Amino acid sequence: SFAVAGMTSARGRSHTFDARADGYARGEACGGVALRRGDAVLGLLGSAVRQDGRSASLTAPNGQAQQGLLVAALRDAATPVDALALNEAHGTGTALGDPIEAGSLVAAVLSAREKALAVGGVKANIGHAEPAAGMTGLLKLALGLSAGEAAPNAQLRVLNPHVGGALRSVACALPVQLTALSAKECCGGVSSCSGGVSSFGYSGTIAHAVLA
């Protein structure tokens, strides 16, 4: 079982980015989006899908593959890194996976920015929805961009020191309360904010999408 393999949390929570991270809590979800041509309030600018490739283990993914994914998605979206206001992480809540994802975000996005990027993870709120996990992240990002707000990171009490180490030299916000996004301050003065969402599958398929 997943519990025997050390995948699920003994505490029954996904402590994304937190020092207590010990695996994920399983959740159930169903979600959907409707796509239409022409003007829309929210749009998909671009995306990328890749394979995680060789990695140490299921809970220790390939950081270089994640970096390449983020770079490819932003290129496909024709979106500069300083145009992002919000990032929805895969954020499983494992002691190794979260720092690797944070390091990948630093290398591909945060190191080339001056303004802070708000980063969150929905699994701390509702658990890991497994096949529907990517959709829940996308919907959370869409709601955040539409409302112009970054949701709090649930369960975040004491930052995982390895996540903190990865983020030490860059501007990054892990909100613990509802935080307004400013297009002028967070998005380089453009008229609308953009954001990215990552989803990493058991099979090694990894995906990132950019919305605005």
Side-chain angles (χ1 to χ4, degrees), residues 117-197:
L117 177 66
V119 177
V122 72
K123 292 178 181 64
N125 296 87
I126 64 170
H128 193 325
E130 296 173 351
M135 180 58 70
T136 60
L138 188 148
L139 291 173
K140 183 187 171 203
L141 175 65
L143 289 170
L145 293 175
S146 296
E149 296 174 329
N153 280 289
Q155 317 303 334
L156 182 54
R157 302 294 183 271
V158 179
L159 186 64
N160 180 325
H162 299 294
V163 172
L167 299 176
R168 183 169 293 122
S169 60
V170 297
C172 179
L174 298 171
V176 292
Q177 60 184 8
L178 193 63
T179 304
L181 301 175
S182 168
K184 182 178 180 180
E185 294 180 7
C186 297
C187 305
V190 298
S191 59
S192 63
C193 282
S194 303
V197 54

Side-chain angles (χ1 to χ4, degrees), residues 33-58:
V33 294
L35 304 178
R36 68 180 186 184
R37 293 181 180 274
D39 295 335
V41 174
L42 196 70
L44 174 63
L45 298 183
S47 63
V49 179
R50 290 193 169 187
Q51 168 58 228
D52 186 55
R54 192 179 187 90
S55 57
S57 69
L58 189 60

Side-chain angles (χ1 to χ4, degrees), residues 61 66 69 90-92 101 128 198-202 204-208:
Q66 293 179 13
L69 174 77
H90 177 71
T92 303
E101 184 175 9
H128 193 325
S198 292
S199 185
F200 306 148
Y202 287 132
T205 301
I206 56 177
H208 188 82

